[in-house]
Amino acid sequence: MFRKIYTRGMEAKKIIEIMGGRAEVMRITGLTKGRISQMVKDNHIPKSWMTAFRAMKPAAFRRAASAPTPKEPSHV
């Protein structure tokens, strides 16, 4: 629950993609490849980076937030 507050239910991998991919995130943030990989692995992007990412690409985040999420398979 704690982590979802900052990502608003989006996966860290999707957020990195919205920002232009890992190489672009490395370029604009100065973070290492390992740190970005850790964000994806943990599915957590710190609040400060999420705030910055939303400020950089507000329209992309609005589109992603309004996109329908795929349904999870139901088990019979």
Side-chain angles (χ1 to χ4, degrees):
M1 293 272 195
F2 174 74
R3 293 179 180 183
K4 297 296 182 187
I5 293 170
Y6 302 133
T7 60
R8 293 189 187 205
M10 282 196 284
E11 292 184 2
K13 183 177 180 179
K14 177 68 176 171
I15 293 164
I16 300 296
E17 289 172 8
I18 289 170
M19 293 307 298
R22 292 178 191 217
E24 181 65 9
V25 172
M26 287 170 52
R27 188 187 70 75
I28 62 177
T29 63
L31 294 172
T32 64
K33 182 178 179 180
R35 181 63 187 106
I36 295 166
S37 293
Q38 191 69 39
M39 286 180 187
V40 172
K41 179 183 171 213
D42 293 346
N43 196 30
H44 172 70
I45 296 177
K47 183 179 180 180
S48 58
W49 285 118
M50 280 304 300
T51 301
F53 292 163
R54 281 194 194 105
M56 288 179 209
K57 297 198 175 191
F61 279 94
R62 277 194 298 276
R63 281 192 304 271
S66 64
T69 56
K71 290 186 176 184
E72 292 185 22
S74 60
H75 297 285
V76 181

